[in-house]
Amino acid sequence: MEKPRKKFIDVVHKAMVAANTMDRDELLFSYKGILYPLTVCSLEVFKAMESLEARSDDVILAGYPKSGTNWVGQILSDLVATFEKKTQDEENVNDEDLEEFPYLEVGDTGKYERMNKLPSRRVIFTHLLPDNLPRSIFKNKAKILLLLRNPKDVATSFYHFSNGMSVLPSYETWDDFFIAFMTEKMPWGSYFNYLSEWNKYADDENVMTITYEELKENRALGVKNIAAFFGISLTEEELQGVVERSSFQSMKENSLKTHGALGSVLFRKGGVSDWKSLFNEDQNEKMDKAFEEHIAGTKLGMKLKYDVYCKA
Ligand code: A3P
């Protein structure tokens, strides 16, 4: 994804400019009990979304915010683009006019009708709960890659992002943010509810889960497994290209082209365990308790390897 993403940068820029003129308490709105940023989401768009006709060859990435969506999104988009480059006419590939903002829930009401006319394969990202996705995704058996990241690093990343990105309410202190994170005040809802709801789909053959941490441990293996799940057949050399282009360093270096002003906020540390710089003993205890209560015994909870990544 080294070419500039003009539409993506434009959408983000407009949202940031609009947010700069708004008060903190105007930035979010509620839909079906979940908060969303008003500068990028709307009720009308949520309603229009139901008209999306999902396809069995759609490539869908689902993840709670700050789980590494842009990273894994780069891997998926690159896998699809590399495959198309060798199998399709050059002129049909990467047509900029066909570009849509990759997050399903961000756009205008005409987006879904335009998406229905796009050629396969479409790569779609989303932070939505499964119940809030268009029904055709499940009915038409679109494949979903479900991305997970440990809650302590998600909260840490979310805190820094909220303070650097004007479309989200900022926080004066980490302690204030922590309370909001634990009391369901986050845009796109609660982390624990997100995992509990998606856990209902964890055994679905069209859903593959991957964790941020396992991808950090072995990116080459992760890329290979993702390609196999979506039936994208590439040579070792082509896969290696995807692996290299998705390193943190490479993505950060390219970020002005791919993400505009958002890049410098988004590509922050890209590591595991940065939570140790913020969490105090009491917050550790509270998070450990919440994890235990809500998701420790579930399939997704176990995938997170909480004891490895979240114990002080
Ligand atoms: P940090 O804030 O901990 O650095 P999302 O894309 O879902 O908003 O997630 C953002 C997080 O993914 C950020 O975490 C960001 O640095 C990290 N990230 C982005 N690209 C990455 C990469 N290539 N490798 C590892 N982490 C990456």
Side-chain angles (χ1 to χ4, degrees), residues 63-72 74-75 103 127 147 149 153-154 156-158 160-161 212 216 219 245-252 259 265-272 274:
Y64 187 77
K66 311 319 296 169
S67 299
T69 331
N70 285 274
W71 179 21
V72 180
Q74 151 76 23
I75 291 172
Y103 288 81
H127 294 318
L147 172 65
R149 188 182 191 185
D153 279 332
V154 165
T156 303
S157 181
F158 218 156
H160 290 293
F161 192 68
Y212 182 99
K216 273 305 277 189
R219 202 161 74 250
R245 289 187 289 275
S246 62
S247 72
F248 182 72
Q249 201 190 348
S250 157
M251 286 188 70
K252 194 175 168 75
H259 291 75
V265 186
L266 188 83
F267 298 97
R268 196 184 60 90
K269 289 221 164 155
V272 176
D274 193 34

Side-chain angles (χ1 to χ4, degrees), residues 124-164:
I124 300 168
F125 312 165
T126 183
H127 294 318
L128 294 178
L129 290 169
D131 276 357
N132 294 339
L133 287 173
R135 286 301 86 196
S136 66
I137 289 185
F138 299 100
K139 196 167 134 255
N140 299 345
K141 302 191 186 320
K143 286 197 171 167
I144 301 171
L145 180 64
L146 177 60
L147 172 65
L148 313 175
R149 188 182 191 185
N150 80 71
K152 292 188 181 175
D153 279 332
V154 165
T156 303
S157 181
F158 218 156
Y159 168 61
H160 290 293
F161 192 68
S162 301
N163 281 354

Side-chain angles (χ1 to χ4, degrees), residues 71-108:
W71 179 21
V72 180
Q74 151 76 23
I75 291 172
L76 290 173
S77 305
D78 199 1
L79 283 171
V80 168
T82 308
F83 185 71
E84 279 177 358
K85 213 180 273 174
K86 68 178 196 176
T87 55
Q88 290 184 8
D89 294 348
E90 196 59 34
E91 60 199 67
N92 286 339
V93 175
N94 292 336
D95 187 342
E96 214 180 273
D97 291 338
L98 300 179
E99 193 192 329
E100 290 288 347
F101 197 77
Y103 288 81
L104 179 68
E105 58 270 33
V106 176
D108 55 274

Side-chain angles (χ1 to χ4, degrees), residues 63-264:
Y64 187 77
K66 311 319 296 169
S67 299
T69 331
N70 285 274
W71 179 21
V72 180
Q74 151 76 23
I75 291 172
L76 290 173
S77 305
D78 199 1
L79 283 171
V80 168
T82 308
F83 185 71
E84 279 177 358
K85 213 180 273 174
K86 68 178 196 176
T87 55
Q88 290 184 8
D89 294 348
E90 196 59 34
E91 60 199 67
N92 286 339
V93 175
N94 292 336
D95 187 342
E96 214 180 273
D97 291 338
L98 300 179
E99 193 192 329
E100 290 288 347
F101 197 77
Y103 288 81
L104 179 68
E105 58 270 33
V106 176
D108 55 274
T109 50
K111 171 176 180 170
Y112 309 100
E113 292 304 330
R114 292 195 300 277
M115 283 182 74
N116 286 341
K117 295 190 188 117
L118 288 181
S120 292
R121 291 182 135 194
R122 304 176 301 186
V123 181
I124 300 168
F125 312 165
T126 183
H127 294 318
L128 294 178
L129 290 169
D131 276 357
N132 294 339
L133 287 173
R135 286 301 86 196
S136 66
I137 289 185
F138 299 100
K139 196 167 134 255
N140 299 345
K141 302 191 186 320
K143 286 197 171 167
I144 301 171
L145 180 64
L146 177 60
L147 172 65
L148 313 175
R149 188 182 191 185
N150 80 71
K152 292 188 181 175
D153 279 332
V154 165
T156 303
S157 181
F158 218 156
Y159 168 61
H160 290 293
F161 192 68
S162 301
N163 281 354
M165 175 60 167
S166 58
V167 308
L168 303 180
S170 56
Y171 289 84
E172 263 182 33
T173 66
W174 156 250
D175 292 349
D176 290 346
F177 176 87
F178 182 79
I179 291 168
F181 187 85
M182 300 303 279
T183 51
E184 320 208 338
K185 302 263 168 47
M186 290 294 103
W188 281 281
S190 130
Y191 173 92
F192 292 110
N193 185 46
Y194 185 90
L195 262 76
S196 302
E197 288 301 311
W198 272 104
N199 192 61
K200 296 173 188 162
Y201 295 79
D203 290 323
D204 189 322
E205 60 176 352
N206 295 313
V207 176
M208 169 181 162
T209 50
I210 192 159
T211 64
Y212 182 99
E213 294 78 13
E214 72 179 283
L215 209 48
K216 273 305 277 189
E217 296 258 325
N218 192 341
R219 202 161 74 250
L221 181 63
V223 167
K224 212 172 171 175
N225 290 341
I226 293 170
F229 172 67
F230 285 106
I232 297 171
S233 169
L234 295 178
T235 64
E236 286 297 328
E237 206 184 338
E238 287 164 337
L239 287 171
Q240 188 51 32
V242 175
V243 172
E244 280 162 20
R245 289 187 289 275
S246 62
S247 72
F248 182 72
Q249 201 190 348
S250 157
M251 286 188 70
K252 194 175 168 75
E253 276 166 15
N254 262 321
S255 67
L256 197 60
K257 274 199 210 162
T258 56
H259 291 75
L262 180 66
S264 58

